[in-house]
Amino acid sequence: MMEEERIAIGIDLGGTNIKGVLVNETGDVLHSLTAETAGSTPWKEEVMKMISALKTISADVKHIGIAAPGLSNSLNSLIAFMPGRLQELQGLDWSLYLQENVIVLNDAHAALIAESRLGAGKGIKNLLMVTLGTGVGGALLIDGKLHQGFLQRAGHVGHICLDSEGSPGILDIPGTLEEAFGNVTVFKRSYGKFDSALSLVEAYKAGDTLATYLWLTAVRKLSLALCSLINIVSPELIILGGGIAKAKTALTEPLETFMQLYEWQPGGEKTPIVLSGFNDFSGAIGAALHTLTYKIT
């Protein structure tokens, strides 16, 4: 008798959008949905509605994974620590709320799982993933395994300090990479002229002087963060994901220029940097794939 195909639902809860996918164990996306996090329906109810909609397509789904910002607990049942954003997310037990078995993990960790199994990082054992969106997140693959570390905190690259005199971020650390590059600070950084990184990029591409200054300043700071992380972690590959990665060559070309200036390249070897192969859905796909292999204890 032919073995029944295993299918999972993956949800990626972000500060701007909620993304949902129906995925089989080979990573094929059978269906996808998106909704605004701050839309007319409260985000918790939106997640429930999205899962119900995906279940109408495949009613026998028994695996649900949710990716969200913050630190998951050791049981991967909830986000244990998430200061500053998505009020009510911290401590929300998704299995109780949805009355389903749900596996929860950090959104950047989920994105890395998707990339390492099926995307730009397939076959590579040592990876650094940096997600550039509302905030800045990250994840590490070391010797082929997701490295979560003590308190599941590993990979939070957005909270490294680049300027000890800078404005404090959500963890009170001054001058972080997230403050320098995240979507959340664009309005403040641009003196109220731009409301998103992508609108800033469009103005940069059109030759706007202020936009050019702001964007290249942010990309330079990103390059300094990446060079520092390369010296500590020594990844074989860096993958950039998240909504701001949609800037594509407007991001990668100036970043390459700054990396050439600052990266230590022993023997002329530089660390390759590529864009995510999954665009907006890597977190949702990774959450789905993770729940298919996760053993509930």
Side-chain angles (χ1 to χ4, degrees):
M1 188 171 70
M2 184 178 293
E3 187 177 345
E4 185 179 352
E5 183 180 40
R6 298 169 72 229
I7 296 173
I9 289 172
I11 302 291
D12 183 6
L13 174 60
T16 305
N17 294 299
I18 303 165
K19 289 153 300 252
V21 294
L22 199 63
V23 174
N24 63 20
E25 53 194 324
T26 58
D28 300 314
V29 176
L30 309 177
H31 196 76
S32 63
L33 296 170
T34 60
E36 291 184 3
T37 306
S40 56
T41 303
W43 58 263
K44 284 198 298 184
E45 295 175 25
E46 192 68 65
V47 170
M48 182 182 285
K49 188 168 75 170
M50 190 173 283
I51 289 170
S52 295
L54 291 168
K55 279 195 162 192
T56 63
I57 299 166
S58 181
D60 294 330
V61 173
K62 297 180 178 64
H63 304 273
I64 300 173
I66 292 180
L71 308 183
S72 63
N73 64 348
S74 60
L75 299 175
N76 286 101
S77 61
L78 53 80
I79 294 297
F81 301 100
M82 178 53 206
R85 298 194 195 114
L86 290 173
Q87 189 177 8
E88 298 182 34
L89 173 62
Q90 182 172 297
L92 173 61
D93 188 320
W94 284 98
S95 293
L96 287 176
Y97 177 66
L98 297 170
Q99 294 298 296
E100 304 264 11
N101 284 327
V102 180
I103 304 303
V104 181
L105 72 165
N106 173 266
D107 50 1
H109 290 181
L112 179 64
I113 287 170
E115 292 291 347
S116 66
R117 294 189 190 175
L118 301 168
K122 186 175 181 180
I124 296 176
K125 288 190 172 183
N126 296 287
L127 286 171
L128 169 63
M129 176 99 188
V130 180
T131 55
L132 307 168
T134 302
V136 174
L140 290 165
L141 193 79
I142 298 177
D143 289 333
K145 296 179 181 178
L146 175 67
H147 178 65
Q148 296 186 87
F150 180 56
L151 298 177
Q152 316 258 55
R153 185 168 46 194
H156 275 71
V157 300
H159 302 305
I160 62 175
C161 178
L162 297 176
D163 177 8
S164 64
E165 301 302 318
S167 300
I170 61 173
L171 300 184
D172 294 327
I173 298 171
T176 63
L177 174 59
E178 183 167 283
E179 288 292 302
F181 205 89
N183 226 1
V184 70
T185 62
V186 169
F187 188 77
K188 180 178 72 174
R189 285 187 279 125
S190 67
Y191 311 98
K193 186 170 181 180
F194 303 104
D195 60 2
S196 71
L198 293 180
S199 65
L200 173 64
V201 167
E202 287 305 310
Y204 158 72
K205 286 158 62 175
D208 181 273
T209 301
L210 177 62
T212 299
Y213 165 73
L214 293 170
W215 179 244
L216 294 181
T217 297
V219 175
R220 176 178 176 269
K221 289 181 178 180
L222 174 63
S223 76
L224 291 168
L226 294 181
C227 288
S228 299
L229 292 164
I230 286 168
N231 291 338
I232 297 167
V233 180
S234 194
E236 298 169 67
L237 178 72
I238 296 174
I239 302 173
L240 302 180
I244 301 177
K246 290 179 181 177
K248 296 185 179 179
T249 56
L251 169 61
T252 56
E253 289 180 359
L255 180 60
E256 169 67 18
T257 297
F258 289 123
M259 294 298 292
Q260 283 288 88
L261 289 175
Y262 303 125
E263 184 187 359
W264 178 26
Q265 299 179 0
E269 290 283 343
K270 65 180 182 179
T271 306
I273 300 174
V274 300
L275 298 180
S276 166
F278 286 103
N279 298 319
D280 289 344
F281 285 91
S282 58
I285 293 168
L289 292 173
H290 185 63
T291 196
L292 285 170
T293 57
Y294 188 90
K295 290 182 173 61
I296 298 175
T297 57

